[in-house]
Amino acid sequence: MTPHTHTHTLAEPRLRSALTRMFEAATRDDEAAARVRNVRPHDREAPTAQELADANREIYMPISADGGKLLYNLVRATRPANVVEFGTSYGISTLHLAAAVRDNGSGHVITTEMNTAKAAAARDTFTATGLDGVITLLEGNALQTLAALRQPVDFLFLDGWKDLCLPVLRLLEPHLAPGTPVVADDVDLPALAPYLDHVRDTDNGYHSVTFPVEDGLEISCRL
């Protein structure tokens, strides 16, 4: 009996090295967040999304290692042609999505990032890991860049600013066929509550379950 041969991009040394480096850098996120709080102006309560993105440019805000593996498995299992991600940051979750697409042998990842420095760093990492060919990074406000999307969305991952997850989902709902997986990170964050209320109500066209990994992933299916 001939053994099966298969590709497993996550095991490639250059990708393992990049993920190790970024997860290590992310352990200093609390220090970077403290610096942001110390310099943030207090003359108004609500900075814009762009101001928040720029102020938090040093913060990785990564998905957890197990969360990344879960994303990889979900994309391998569902074999989507078009994966859309809201919120690249430095690209940790994007690499897991792209590795799964590469290992499936088909598909593409469209991801979004508002901060210019993060977008540039992510592009460098995508190139260094050899995954740039299956990733398109849209720089700017996702509500604007994704508005131009014309193709179906076969897998959606939401991990940008939590108060924008529901607006982004609503923007993309016309592109979601029945059975499309929709995943959101950080269910423990209060700002995600309106999104969770939406996808947990079957009247809105979703069946949803919380997966208990780190801060929680909400895994929903478009009905």
Side-chain angles (χ1 to χ4, degrees):
M1 184 174 180
T2 304
H4 291 290
T5 59
H6 63 277
T7 305
H8 180 29
T9 308
L10 284 179
E12 288 183 356
R14 56 184 175 172
L15 181 54
R16 283 205 316 269
S17 175
L19 288 172
T20 298
R21 171 181 56 80
M22 289 194 290
F23 276 126
E24 171 62 27
T27 63
R28 298 185 288 276
D29 272 2
D30 287 345
E31 300 170 19
R35 290 195 294 273
V36 171
R37 286 193 295 270
N38 289 335
V39 301
R40 181 175 295 172
H42 299 285
D43 56 338
R44 52 195 167 92
E45 293 184 0
T48 66
Q50 184 67 61
E51 288 171 336
L52 281 172
D54 292 341
N56 289 278
R57 61 187 175 275
E58 296 181 38
I59 305 177
Y60 277 71
M61 305 177 188
I63 193 168
S64 67
D66 284 344
K69 293 174 185 175
L70 178 60
L71 286 181
Y72 175 87
N73 287 350
L74 289 172
V75 172
R76 288 302 305 270
T78 56
R79 304 185 67 84
N82 298 306
V83 176
V84 173
E85 176 185 42
F86 164 52
T88 309
S89 190
Y90 281 91
I92 290 177
S93 53
T94 318
L95 291 176
H96 286 87
L97 296 168
V101 162
R102 169 72 64 83
D103 291 349
N104 280 342
S106 64
H108 199 81
V109 177
I110 298 170
T111 188
T112 66
E113 177 53 46
M114 186 174 284
N115 179 260
T116 300
K118 283 187 173 182
R123 286 192 179 100
D124 288 345
T125 300
F126 301 157
T127 299
T129 56
L131 290 169
D132 54 311
V134 296
I135 301 172
T136 297
L137 196 161
L138 304 177
E139 188 175 336
N141 187 320
L143 290 172
Q144 297 171 2
T145 60
L146 292 176
L149 201 66
R150 295 294 176 263
Q151 59 264 52
V153 177
D154 306 305
F155 188 101
L156 176 60
F157 178 52
L158 301 164
D159 197 22
W161 297 116
K162 304 310 166 187
D163 59 334
L164 294 181
C165 285
L166 181 55
V168 169
L169 175 64
R170 285 178 166 156
L171 174 70
L172 296 178
E173 279 181 337
H175 301 274
L176 304 178
T180 300
V182 180
V183 182
D185 195 19
D186 300 316
V187 299
D188 290 343
L189 295 183
L192 195 63
Y195 170 88
L196 295 175
D197 289 342
H198 183 75
V199 296
R200 289 173 178 174
D201 185 347
T202 54
D203 288 342
N204 293 322
Y206 296 92
H207 189 269
S208 194
V209 63
T210 303
F211 194 90
V213 55
E214 293 291 327
D215 293 325
L217 288 171
E218 191 75 7
I219 302 176
S220 309
C221 178
R222 184 67 166 154
L223 300 177

